[in-house]
Amino acid sequence: MTVRPTPLSAPASRTERLDRLPFTARHRSMLVGSGVGWALDAMDVGLISFLMVAVKKEWGLTTGDLSVLASIGFVGMAIGAGVGGALADRIGRRTVFAGTLVVYGLATGLSALAPSFLVLCALRFVVGLGLGAELPVASTLVSEFAPKRLRGRMVVALESFWALGWLLAAVIGFTIVPHDNGWRWAMALGLVPALYAIHVRRGLPESVRFLEKVGRDDDAERIVRSFEAAAGPAQRSGGAHLDDAADTHAGAQGTTVDVETTRTSQLASPFSAPYRTRTAALWATWFGVNFAYYGAFLWIPTFLVANGFPVAKSFGFTLVITIAQLPGYAVAAVCVEKIGRRPTLAIFLAGSTVSALLFGQASSETAIMAAGCALSFFNLGAWGALYAITPEIYPTLMRAGGAGGATAFGRIASIVAPLVVPWVFTHHGEGWTFGVIAAAFAVATLAALALPERRGQALD
């Protein structure tokens, strides 16, 4: 039998108390803690675009071999995203987050010792498992702690750490990779995430919504009170009636959420009637964005070298283009709260479409830099808006799993893109290549228009 608190006398739920908080030092600590893990992910993925040039020369690889090397990691990411999201709904967001850091950190470090191309591919697959599981889990954790009026901005801020990680990869690629065995030293830096997992496991809080779902009400209450304490005396006094009533009501409150949401979850899945349209639109958006992003940015250094630019110069171009990601995130972070998630996503994807077409037609160094920076600005801003909207469209019991499913489907595109894009480049040239990438962005733009708008609304 469901326990229902009396509407007039019941204390605010824990999620309501989190939603009404201002941005505090606790929020900042959680955002930075998750963001550093996110940046380390980006560094690992970004390094591949620079390593492909080096390992091709060292082992005499073909373009087809490089396509396999680029794609195999995304095969692991597709599997990891689905499995990681489901595990996060069962055993907790923080636990999965820390575990994935260990998996891909150790595998990346071991890649520095790879004696052959096949061994390197096998290790990249394991790296992908960890990376794929971590990304949707981190965004879900942040979205579940963020006050509803700031949720979009906080998730975009989390996603902006991706630009920092990719920028770090570009710096490493520019300064270390061109030297003898430089790519191996770059891979050795991948051990850092495994060490950082210790901090994640001890320093980040577990999702309050998850704790309530599994009946750990005391832990959930303790975490909420720590966030309220960080907000200062006003918030503590605002929730003072809970100090006396919490022990009495915590069990009932948790039971209400658990029983009612469990009944809903038994009938609902991402493809059940209430969610079918939004899931299809979300999956199509993730597919288009992944195909376009990894089709372009993994291959830009290789394309520039193929067009006659020296390795060091192509890496320098890529470094500058990467810097343009940061203002893209900054503008998206403002727009998702000012005009909404859906219009922000659609506008940035449309800008990405135009930028890709311009990059494909660029012939001078100035045009390449300008179009590349525009593509970087709009594309990464779109990523920020996409990560902001994804966790918002599902209820708690299927939030991480729903986000993981969309991410996993998108990873199929990231597997296909490194195989298709170099073939198009070889047979039809750069204009056609970025025409295909622009088409993927256009599909994602149309799909994004069918997503629900959840700006300023509480999570289900």
Side-chain angles (χ1 to χ4, degrees):
M1 179 176 179
T2 302
V3 179
R4 299 183 182 279
T6 304
L8 295 178
S9 61
S13 70
R14 297 186 186 96
T15 55
E16 289 171 339
R17 289 156 60 191
L18 286 174
D19 273 341
R20 71 190 182 193
L21 290 175
F23 186 80
T24 69
R26 285 280 283 160
H27 290 105
R28 184 183 301 109
S29 176
M30 185 194 61
L31 180 60
V32 173
S34 301
V36 170
W38 200 284
L40 293 171
D41 288 356
M43 182 191 76
D44 192 285
V45 175
L47 278 174
I48 284 297
S49 64
F50 300 96
L51 300 187
M52 289 194 299
V53 177
V55 297
K56 179 181 181 180
K57 180 179 179 181
E58 179 172 329
W59 287 335
L61 303 178
T62 66
T63 301
D65 293 331
L66 294 182
S67 297
V68 172
L69 179 61
S71 291
I72 194 67
F74 295 114
V75 174
M77 290 179 78
I79 297 172
V83 174
L87 279 176
D89 282 335
R90 294 180 67 88
I91 65 175
R93 284 57 159 142
R94 183 183 64 174
T95 301
V96 174
F97 186 16
T100 58
L101 289 170
V102 173
V103 169
Y104 86 78
L106 291 178
T108 301
L110 289 173
S111 297
L113 304 175
S116 67
F117 173 68
L118 290 178
V119 173
L120 182 61
C121 285
L123 288 169
R124 291 306 303 172
F125 173 77
V126 178
V127 168
L129 290 175
L131 288 172
E134 190 271 328
L135 294 175
V137 173
S139 61
T140 297
L141 181 63
V142 170
S143 68
E144 289 183 333
F145 273 103
K148 63 182 180 182
R149 66 190 179 281
L150 300 173
R151 188 169 60 240
R153 190 168 298 176
M154 283 185 63
V155 175
V156 176
L158 171 69
E159 168 66 6
S160 69
F161 280 86
W162 184 272
L164 296 177
W166 201 281
L167 183 60
L168 180 58
V171 171
I172 294 171
F174 184 67
T175 59
I176 297 177
V177 173
H179 300 286
D180 290 340
N181 290 318
W183 72 269
R184 294 185 182 275
W185 285 108
M187 287 286 94
L189 293 174
L191 286 170
V192 173
L195 299 175
Y196 186 68
I198 300 173
H199 166 75
V200 169
R201 192 67 183 87
R202 299 180 59 183
L204 292 183
E206 182 55 270
S207 164
V208 170
R209 288 172 170 85
F210 170 79
L211 293 173
E212 287 185 333
K213 185 196 76 169
V214 297
R216 293 170 56 186
D217 297 295
D218 291 341
D219 290 336
E221 182 65 25
R222 175 179 51 78
I223 291 172
V224 172
R225 292 191 185 191
S226 72
F227 274 77
E228 289 175 332
Q235 287 297 328
R236 287 199 297 268
S237 62
H241 65 287
L242 291 165
D243 293 341
D244 297 328
D247 293 335
T248 302
H249 290 286
Q253 184 183 20
T255 303
T256 302
V257 173
D258 189 41
V259 172
E260 292 184 348
T261 314
T262 300
R263 287 178 177 174
T264 301
S265 69
Q266 290 172 348
L267 300 174
S269 75
F271 284 96
S272 62
Y275 306 107
R276 189 176 300 137
T277 300
R278 64 181 65 178
T279 295
L282 185 66
W283 284 30
T285 306
W286 272 93
F287 190 93
V289 171
N290 271 274
F291 184 95
Y293 177 77
Y294 290 108
F297 283 91
L298 278 182
W299 289 98
I300 282 178
T302 304
F303 290 161
L304 291 174
V305 171
N307 285 335
F309 290 100
V311 171
K313 195 167 190 176
S314 70
F315 284 5
F317 280 7
T318 305
L319 176 59
V320 174
I321 290 172
T322 302
I323 293 174
Q325 296 180 8
L326 294 172
Y329 282 123
V331 174
V334 174
C335 289
V336 291
E337 300 297 358
K338 293 293 185 181
I339 66 174
R341 286 80 155 120
R342 181 174 59 198
T344 300
L345 179 58
I347 290 170
F348 274 77
L349 286 173
S352 300
T353 304
V354 175
S355 300
L357 291 173
L358 293 175
F359 191 89
Q361 301 302 317
S363 55
S364 66
E365 291 187 9
T366 301
I368 289 172
M369 291 288 286
C373 287
L375 179 60
S376 192
F377 174 91
F378 284 110
N379 194 350
L380 276 298
W383 271 113
L386 182 57
Y387 268 105
I389 201 172
T390 296
E392 295 183 336
I393 67 176
Y394 296 115
T396 297
L397 288 185
M398 54 189 289
R399 182 168 297 122
T407 306
F409 187 76
R411 296 305 176 196
I412 297 175
S414 63
I415 296 167
V416 173
L419 300 174
V420 172
V421 166
W423 184 89
V424 176
F425 181 82
T426 300
H427 290 85
H428 300 286
E430 192 168 352
W432 272 96
T433 300
F434 281 88
V436 171
I437 290 170
F441 276 130
V443 170
T445 304
L446 294 175
L449 295 174
L451 293 171
E453 178 57 58
R454 299 299 307 274
R455 177 169 62 107
Q457 299 179 28
L459 293 176
D460 294 337

